[in-house]
Amino acid sequence: MILKLTPLILLIAAAECQFQSQDATLAMLERVNEPLFIPKCETGVMLEVPTDYLPSGYQAAAIQNQLNNRFGKRIQIPIKRIQIPDVSDLLALPRLGTFSTFVPRHRKLSARLITLFMEMRTVEDFFALAAYLRDRINPSLFVYAFSVAIMNRQDTRNVRLPPVSETFPGRYVDGSVFVRAREESYILTDSLVDMRATIEIPQDYTATQREPEHRVAYFREDLGINLHHWHWHLIYPFEGPREVVQKNRRGELFYYAHQQIIGRYDFERLCNKLPRTVRLQNFAEPIPEAYFPKLTSQIASRNWQSRPGGLRMRDINREADQLKVDIADLERWRARFLEAIERGRVESTNGTSIPLTEQNGIDILGDMMEPSQYSINPQLYGQLHNMLHVVISLIHDPDHRFLETFSVIGESSTAMRDPAFYRIHSLVNDIFNNHKQRLPRYTVQQLEFQGIQLRGIEISTRGTTQRNTFMTFWEKSTVDLSRGMDFFPRGPVFARFTHLQHLPFTLNVDVNNSGPRRQALVRVFLAPKLDERGRDMPLVEQRNMFIELDKFLFDLQPGANKIVRNSVQSTVSIPFEQTFRDLETGRPPANNTGGSDNFNFCGCGWPHHMLIPKGTVEGFPSILFVMISNAETDWTPRRNTANNVCSEAAAYCGIRGENYPDRRAMGYPFDRLPRQNAVTLQTFLTPNMGIQEVVIRFNDTVVDKTPNNGRAPRSQIWNPSNTRNPSQRPAINTQSNQNLSPNPANGRPNTNPRPNTNNRPNIPNNPNNRPNIQNQPWNSNQRPPQGGRGGPNPQTFDWQNGPRPGGRPSSPNNFFSSQGNFDRGQSQPIAFPGRTGGYGGK
Ligand code: CUO
């Protein structure tokens, strides 16, 4: 029985192509604690759910009729009534409990639900099952499996998922935000809605600077980084239908994506005068690092558990989670890994000995380590990585006597907040490295590119005359959390948070090609120059610290070539606005298949604002490495070039439906030990490589990205009580290229992921909403006030109006300063024998 079913609705329901999958998806993922029949989205989307799909308490027809009238639906989407499969096992997971893909029982349930979703014959059937389950099963399980299915079903490929920070904002921001948001939402309604204050999320809400580890909290707690990690695991789930899990080189990408995370974290640690991460080695020893997340679970209204420093991992035996793992298991699994790597062979379930070859050894080990369902022998090699997450996440209640659940490290959307995450992944990386160190070292022939000579590298950063200098600073950005707020009255809930940012820069590379015209693959990496003690880092260590900045194709003409590459073009990162995409205000038009297909893959990518490590006020000395490879041998052309919107974020995330584009081992040329006689980076270089000393100069000042204190102008607030009138919607760019500048109507990003002619996002400088770097005052003697991390009165710099009053005096080390600090620490090119200008290999 479907209530209020009209002939028009039946007509729409019959037309499969007209099913409003995008609206239905956003409605499914909004306010997941709130029943589905309550209108969702700012447009008031109403899913017309069959009565017997409703939770039992709401099934009376009279109630639904009353609720419909009360909430005033605007867009009706009829939900089909189907034969519901047996889902009793899914219902067994407590609705108000927690869910983690690291827990085997939970993972099995998620694999089963993903399979059910994938097997639904039509898109209507899929949404019908989703509608039935949404208000019955555990919301975290639902959101995870539903999101994986949306990304992998053929008929929902064009549907775009909101970032999980909108669905579960409680996993990303201080719990006190919700108390303040609730109060304002209650008082400031209707015509007063635009008076709601933007809620400031302080940078230092989880600890103080008395805790040394907190110096890198800006990295661990960055919203974009945690969204990236969640998205990565959504694309590469451990378990599920074959077409969802078995992706090209998935085990190797698990290794590489996490190896790069550790490399980046250690880079940040050195910038903050912290030693590199010590791997988790002795499982019996206390874990010194503490973590107090200050996050509240909106599902269970519980706090995410804290971990004081000095706790020891203990055997886990929790009947309720069907979870039993001993520390001895972890020891045994690790020993088997190391033994297999030493032998160069692993043993499959049927006893076959399989070699760990140069080509696929790391892929096999990656699948074994997670493990994914493609682990070659789960009984023998166990679940080392997943169970390390689990054991640490339950360190506070290993036998469930206090009825507590896991902490942030047990959930992929929050795990990177915890310092212990990096201890685990340093161990995992060390094990992978054991394998890599046993592989034959790259010979000169495997590294060089005949006839190619790299002659010079230079970084020019907009807004400064200093060469080879990256500039970093703090920036404030605004996100709307209202989709995750399950309380009335509705309306925007803007939160403003501070994150690292860098000035746009350009990489210039001079290359001589003594051969014919050919296509090159340009690889760009960055590493610290010095170790913890200020000594030049030996190459055997430094090779683990090289973080990928970019990788791109370039057509080399015969003779001299000048490669010019902008930082926003990086194939490692995605723009800020893509990470925090607003699907309601920034959706592409329905006929824009090129822009919307692959959009969900586009959500995966290192957040661009974290591309460059923080550096130091004095200038952190680093080494930029560029290598010109032969694209003919190293690059896999795309099979489907029509949908290449996402190619720019392939480095850590791959490309949807395609092979990983780089045929070389991930991390090449630094994934293996350097050849015997290449002790230093200089001696490692072949003529097609080059290095340049650079510095990363940090300015401890907060720049306000959004005008008007992060709030929308009053007259332009989009009031959800308005009807779906296009004239009242914030403008969406309809030009052919991508406009990712903030939307003037609400100060929020205008995400319109349409390709421009060269398939790269075009990020214009909008004089009203974004800093126009070319005209900004960093070159001048103007001195905006300093704010900075944890200061008593953090100040912001308004790009339109200049410094705000009341700023702290400028520090003499500030590169805003007029003291001529631009000339300090100017990097010097490294001189190589027989080479002028200090660039390139030998
Ligand atoms: Cu991504 Cu351990 O794999 O968190």
Side-chain angles (χ1 to χ4, degrees):
M1 174 177 53
I2 296 179
L3 292 172
K4 302 181 73 179
L5 200 61
T6 66
L8 176 63
I9 289 173
L10 280 173
L11 193 67
I12 293 171
E16 180 173 330
C17 61
Q18 289 184 20
F19 187 84
Q20 292 161 282
S21 305
Q22 183 65 66
D23 281 324
T25 299
L26 292 178
M28 289 276 183
L29 296 177
E30 181 169 313
R31 299 177 171 96
V32 289
N33 273 354
E34 181 187 87
L36 193 54
F37 59 77
I38 296 178
K40 300 288 188 294
C41 311
E42 296 185 34
T43 43
V45 172
M46 168 79 190
L47 299 189
E48 295 258 340
V49 184
T51 307
D52 55 349
Y53 281 22
L54 299 176
S56 55
Y58 298 115
Q59 281 193 7
I63 292 179
Q64 192 178 16
N65 273 325
Q66 285 172 20
L67 291 172
N68 287 350
N69 296 334
R70 183 173 139 202
F71 295 120
K73 61 186 181 291
R74 282 164 211 99
I75 300 172
Q76 295 175 335
I77 302 178
I79 295 295
K80 188 178 167 186
R81 192 172 192 287
I82 60 165
Q83 185 72 34
I84 300 292
D86 178 14
V87 291
S88 49
D89 53 342
L90 300 172
L91 297 170
L93 184 68
R95 180 157 166 79
L96 296 183
T98 41
F99 163 81
S100 166
T101 51
F102 296 123
V103 174
R105 178 186 170 223
H106 296 186
R107 198 163 62 244
K108 290 264 172 292
L109 290 176
S110 68
R112 164 139 159 77
L113 183 52
I114 293 167
T115 305
L116 280 176
F117 280 149
M118 293 297 292
E119 285 175 349
M120 287 289 118
R121 208 173 43 83
T122 66
V123 72
E124 283 92 350
D125 290 1
F126 164 57
F127 276 97
L129 179 61
Y132 178 83
L133 291 173
R134 180 189 183 273
D135 296 339
R136 284 182 167 76
I137 66 172
N138 180 285
S140 302
L141 166 62
F142 173 82
V143 168
Y144 174 73
F146 179 76
S147 304
V148 172
I150 286 281
M151 293 205 308
N152 286 282
R153 280 185 66 94
Q154 288 296 328
D155 51 14
T156 55
R157 287 173 82 97
N158 293 337
V159 171
R160 285 140 286 126
L161 290 169
V164 71
S165 55
E166 289 189 5
T167 307
F168 294 120
R171 294 182 189 174
Y172 294 89
V173 296
D174 179 2
S176 67
V177 165
F178 304 105
V179 178
R180 288 145 67 197
R182 191 184 297 267
E183 181 187 314
E184 288 224 338
S185 297
Y186 182 69
I187 297 169
L188 302 173
T189 61
D190 302 322
S191 62
L192 302 177
V193 76
D194 53 332
M195 295 179 70
R196 291 181 186 178
T198 297
I199 299 167
E200 291 277 347
I201 303 172
Q203 256 193 310
D204 293 305
Y205 72 89
T206 53
T208 67
Q209 295 298 326
R210 293 179 68 183
E211 166 54 46
E213 289 294 322
H214 189 64
R215 287 182 217 156
V216 280
Y218 67 89
F219 180 95
R220 288 188 278 103
E221 294 169 1
D222 182 82
L223 266 71
I225 283 183
N226 281 280
L227 284 172
H228 162 70
H229 187 243
W230 169 79
H231 211 117
W232 193 95
H233 281 284
L234 212 56
I235 292 175
Y236 297 99
F238 308 111
E239 219 166 309
R242 184 189 176 92
E243 70 270 25
V244 172
V245 181
Q246 200 177 48
K247 296 193 167 90
N248 177 248
R249 293 166 74 179
R250 77 172 304 287
E252 184 179 7
L253 197 52
F254 170 76
Y255 145 74
Y256 185 58
H258 291 83
Q259 184 270 337
Q260 285 285 290
I261 286 173
I262 296 301
R264 286 181 168 276
Y265 186 61
D266 280 345
F267 205 138
E268 300 283 356
R269 292 180 70 85
L270 292 180
C271 292
N272 287 280
K273 299 186 172 42
L274 290 170
R276 281 168 277 181
T277 314
V278 177
R279 72 182 190 273
L280 194 63
Q281 175 69 352
N282 183 343
F283 297 156
E285 267 182 6
I287 297 175
E289 294 87 359
Y291 190 62
F292 293 75
K294 318 282 189 298
L295 300 180
T296 311
S297 162
Q298 288 165 289
I299 293 173
S301 281
R302 296 258 186 100
N303 289 329
W304 288 81
Q305 277 308 312
S306 302
R307 187 187 63 252
L311 291 193
R312 283 189 165 81
M313 296 197 291
R314 290 181 284 171
D315 297 344
I316 303 289
N317 188 358
R318 293 166 59 103
E319 220 175 294
D321 298 321
Q322 296 173 20
L323 193 57
K324 188 172 185 324
V325 58
D326 292 349
I327 302 303
D329 294 330
L330 301 174
E331 305 271 13
R332 199 162 43 244
W333 296 332
R334 175 174 56 181
R336 286 173 184 165
F337 260 95
L338 294 175
E339 189 203 337
I341 288 168
E342 202 173 317
R343 291 176 50 227
R345 310 186 79 83
V346 291
E347 191 180 317
S348 73
T349 39
N350 65 11
T352 313
S353 173
I354 297 168
L356 294 170
T357 63
E358 284 186 63
Q359 283 69 38
N360 64 6
I362 190 67
D363 201 39
I364 291 172
L365 289 170
D367 275 330
M368 282 164 52
M369 175 64 76
E370 263 188 299
S372 79
Q373 67 194 37
Y374 294 109
S375 169
I376 212 140
N377 193 339
Q379 274 67 43
L380 187 63
Y381 300 108
Q383 312 181 47
L384 182 57
H385 158 265
N386 282 355
M387 283 306 164
L388 281 167
H389 273 271
V390 167
V391 169
I392 295 184
S393 74
L394 293 170
I395 206 165
H396 53 277
D397 193 14
D399 57 9
H400 205 209
R401 74 177 62 187
F402 298 110
L403 304 175
E404 284 296 338
T405 185
F406 50 80
S407 64
V408 292
I409 201 169
E411 157 60 49
S412 65
S413 58
T414 51
M416 286 184 68
R417 304 172 74 89
D418 189 334
F421 171 95
Y422 304 88
R423 305 283 313 273
I424 292 178
H425 275 279
S426 288
L427 167 66
V428 165
N429 201 40
D430 190 64
I431 294 172
F432 287 139
N433 228 337
N434 260 284
H435 161 68
K436 287 284 189 178
Q437 288 176 358
R438 284 174 165 74
L439 297 179
R441 304 167 189 225
Y442 293 120
T443 61
V444 168
Q445 290 70 36
Q446 288 174 305
L447 296 170
E448 67 185 357
F449 186 5
Q450 282 291 332
I452 300 298
Q453 194 168 46
L454 198 153
R455 294 187 178 279
I457 304 168
E458 187 179 84
I459 290 291
S460 53
T461 298
R462 275 198 254 170
T464 170
T465 54
Q466 286 189 81
R467 291 298 171 205
N468 299 316
T469 304
F470 297 107
M471 300 287 200
T472 62
F473 56 98
W474 299 123
E475 185 176 68
K476 269 192 186 183
S477 297
T478 305
V479 287
D480 183 2
L481 302 176
S482 55
R483 299 177 65 80
M485 303 295 181
D486 52 356
F487 47 77
F488 282 90
R490 300 258 161 109
V493 177
F494 290 121
R496 207 144 59 119
F497 67 101
T498 306
H499 56 85
L500 190 65
Q501 185 57 283
H502 57 272
L503 287 181
F505 59 87
T506 304
L507 167 70
N508 305 283
V509 185
D510 289 327
V511 180
N512 192 61
N513 174 15
S514 59
R517 180 184 167 183
R518 45 198 160 160
Q519 199 170 42
L521 182 61
V522 184
R523 304 168 187 275
V524 187
F525 290 87
L526 184 71
K529 174 175 159 48
L530 308 172
D531 66 10
E532 289 85 345
R533 286 185 278 182
R535 300 176 309 192
D536 278 334
M537 203 178 280
L539 182 56
V540 285
E541 289 179 31
Q542 198 175 36
R543 73 179 189 86
N544 296 315
M545 300 286 294
F546 271 104
I547 58 172
E548 190 171 340
L549 294 189
D550 204 353
K551 185 190 297 171
F552 57 94
L553 294 170
F554 189 84
D555 267 329
L556 287 174
Q557 304 298 327
N561 289 263
K562 201 171 234 342
I563 300 173
V564 179
R565 178 79 168 176
N566 291 325
S567 53
V568 292
Q569 295 178 292
S570 166
T571 50
V572 170
S573 65
I574 57 174
F576 184 92
E577 291 77 7
Q578 209 163 304
T579 300
F580 297 95
R581 57 204 182 281
D582 180 339
L583 301 181
E584 284 188 81
T585 57
R587 70 170 60 178
N591 62 359
N592 182 16
T593 53
S596 53
D597 192 23
N598 280 341
F599 187 89
N600 292 321
F601 239 79
C602 288
C604 185
W606 191 253
H608 189 72
H609 61 272
M610 298 301 290
L611 182 67
I612 300 298
K614 183 179 163 198
T616 57
V617 171
E618 309 80 44
F620 187 79
S622 305
I623 300 288
L624 187 70
F625 170 90
V626 178
M627 177 178 188
I628 313 290
S629 303
N630 187 351
E632 201 175 304
T633 54
D634 288 11
W635 193 253
T636 305
R638 298 189 60 149
R639 284 174 297 172
N640 183 356
T641 51
N643 297 322
N644 55 355
V645 179
C646 281
S647 57
E648 56 270 353
Y652 296 170
C653 296
I655 301 175
R656 181 180 189 165
E658 301 273 347
N659 284 348
Y660 191 79
D662 189 347
R663 284 194 209 137
R664 295 280 188 176
M666 296 181 198
Y668 169 87
F670 296 115
D671 64 308
R672 303 186 191 175
L673 286 177
R675 58 191 185 279
Q676 289 291 357
N677 57 353
V679 179
T680 63
L681 188 54
Q682 286 89 339
T683 52
F684 176 72
L685 300 178
T686 50
N688 55 319
M689 302 177 189
I691 56 177
Q692 172 62 52
E693 274 200 36
V694 294
V695 294
I696 310 173
R697 197 176 295 282
F698 170 65
N699 177 18
D700 191 3
T701 296
V702 182
V703 173
D704 197 348
K705 184 179 180 183
T706 44
N708 194 22
N709 204 25
R711 296 179 54 202
R714 234 168 232 233
S715 58
Q716 291 176 310
I717 283 274
W718 186 22
N719 189 331
S721 62
N722 290 341
T723 56
R724 189 189 174 96
N725 177 345
S727 67
Q728 291 174 337
R729 288 181 75 107
I732 297 173
N733 185 349
T734 54
Q735 293 171 7
S736 61
N737 65 349
Q738 195 174 16
N739 178 1
L740 295 170
S741 64
N743 189 317
N746 55 12
R748 281 181 286 162
N750 179 9
T751 307
N752 186 9
R754 268 164 275 174
N756 58 18
T757 47
N758 59 5
N759 301 318
R760 293 291 326 171
N762 176 14
I763 306 182
N765 280 329
N766 179 334
N768 295 323
N769 297 290
R770 269 182 87 91
N772 184 336
I773 301 299
Q774 280 174 331
N775 297 325
Q776 49 84 1
W778 290 33
N779 269 338
S780 73
N781 289 334
Q782 291 183 39
R783 191 183 301 181
Q786 267 210 330
R789 201 171 158 71
N793 179 22
Q795 298 300 316
T796 56
F797 185 77
D798 186 319
W799 289 100
Q800 282 182 292
N801 304 314
R804 299 225 172 94
R808 298 208 312 259
S810 178
S811 149
N813 289 330
N814 186 338
F815 57 68
F816 279 142
S817 163
S818 60
Q819 303 300 312
N821 288 337
F822 279 116
D823 295 330
R824 291 197 317 154
Q826 181 85 20
S827 61
Q828 298 298 320
I830 298 172
F832 297 108
R835 189 165 299 282
T836 55
Y839 304 110
K842 60 182 181 178

